[in-house]
Amino acid sequence: MSALAPIGVFDSGLGGLSVLRHIRSLLPGEHLLYCADSGHAPYGERSPEFIRARSLALAEFLLEQGARAIVIACNTATAQAATLLRERYALPIVAMEPAVKPAVAATRRGIIGVLATTGTLQSARFAALLDNHAGEVEVLTEACSGWVDCVERGQLGGPAVRALVARHVEPLLAGGADVLVLGCTHYPFLRSHIEAVAGPGVPVIDTGQAVARQLLRRLAEAGGAAPPDFPGGETFWSSAVSDTARQALAALWHESAAVRDLPI
Ligand code: DGL
């Protein structure tokens, strides 16, 4: 079998690396292209039009690099642009949304908490997700301002980060939520702090692994995934290359990861 075309993955920034790590471990033979649009993050406060324009530009760039499938590793971009991208491009496009369905199945008290960006929580797609899957379960939501910026800086620990995490998790617990959903791909990098506030009785769910499994299914339908003994690898681009971005990539991915300038 000759080398296969790569898989393109994008996010508003470095948060999508929490999805990329699941893709890496499930599909070790694939070459993965990752675009971090950190120069325009956070998307959570941007208009739907802006997010759609950036998502189109990122998808176009990944196609130019030869991607045979695209993963939107961003809940906010999915909410605003997944439909548009699927209308525009025929290749497999895997998108993501907060794990409301498994959280509804897991709650004992009938109350779940969803942590996500303002853009995701205010979207029509999120409203439809609740209509379709929340049923009788009460859904509390929390827009976690400041969390994305911490992850973009690679600032994952210390008292200030712990306090910022507690500020957004505590209201959900006070409201009675007994399951928490991480509805933004940056948030799994703060998981240990979220779990420390929530305590052992409150499961914390994210969708990175489910997205990787969905990608595997879509690749299988579209001609097959690269065998595990293929030499997989990663290429990273960022729209905000700086020393901070390099250090953050080293902290969130690997010391030796190199990042290129995203020319869009
Ligand atoms: N990581 C993104 C998400 O999953 C968006 C974060 C942001 O840029 O606001 O929603």
Side-chain angles (χ1 to χ4, degrees):
M1 202 169 179
S2 58
L4 285 169
I7 308 297
V9 181
F10 76 85
D11 177 40
S12 65
L14 297 170
L17 296 173
S18 70
V19 179
L20 199 76
R21 63 190 176 189
H22 289 288
I23 298 174
R24 179 72 297 152
S25 92
L26 194 63
L27 295 162
E30 295 287 353
H31 192 86
L32 307 175
L33 312 177
Y34 185 89
C35 287
D37 199 14
S38 301
H40 300 97
Y43 277 9
E45 317 286 320
R46 301 279 196 172
S47 71
E49 294 73 26
F50 182 90
I51 295 168
R52 281 196 276 275
R54 287 307 297 165
S55 299
L56 272 178
L58 290 158
E60 202 63 49
F61 175 78
L62 289 166
L63 287 171
E64 282 163 17
Q65 308 310 309
R68 74 183 201 283
I70 288 180
V71 178
I72 308 176
C74 177
N75 295 266
T76 313
T78 293
Q80 307 301 353
T83 305
L84 176 66
L85 295 192
R86 286 181 171 142
E87 281 165 6
R88 181 99 29 135
Y89 305 112
L91 80 175
I93 294 180
V94 176
M96 60 193 304
E97 55 194 8
V100 167
K101 200 174 163 188
V104 164
T107 180
R108 291 159 321 228
R109 214 181 275 153
I111 309 175
I112 67 168
V114 179
L115 301 143
T117 67
T118 305
T120 296
L121 296 174
Q122 290 181 350
S123 68
R125 198 175 174 113
F126 185 68
L129 183 68
L130 297 191
D131 281 349
N132 292 334
H133 297 297
E136 298 301 304
V137 166
E138 186 182 349
V139 180
L140 309 178
T141 61
E142 182 75 16
C144 306
S145 66
W147 289 17
V148 168
D149 296 324
C150 289
V151 175
E152 286 295 305
R153 288 193 300 267
Q155 190 189 349
L156 307 181
V161 173
R162 284 200 295 276
L164 187 61
V165 167
R167 190 180 311 153
H168 290 295
V169 173
E170 278 164 358
L172 299 176
L173 302 174
D178 64 356
V179 183
L180 298 180
V181 175
L182 304 187
C184 168
T185 54
H186 284 72
Y187 299 173
F189 289 111
L190 302 173
R191 176 185 278 272
S192 61
H193 305 307
I194 298 164
E195 286 178 341
V197 177
V202 177
V204 176
I205 305 178
D206 81 87
T207 33
Q209 198 168 41
V211 168
R213 282 200 298 263
Q214 175 65 2
L215 173 63
L216 175 58
R217 278 192 291 274
R218 295 298 307 277
L219 293 178
E221 287 161 13
D229 57 347
F230 265 39
E234 303 92 34
T235 308
F236 297 98
W237 286 268
S238 169
S239 54
V241 175
S242 66
D243 286 345
T244 311
R246 283 192 198 90
Q247 281 156 17
L249 183 64
L252 302 177
W253 189 259
H254 196 274
E255 289 289 331
S256 65
V259 58
R260 305 173 184 195
D261 255 318
L262 185 64
I264 52 166

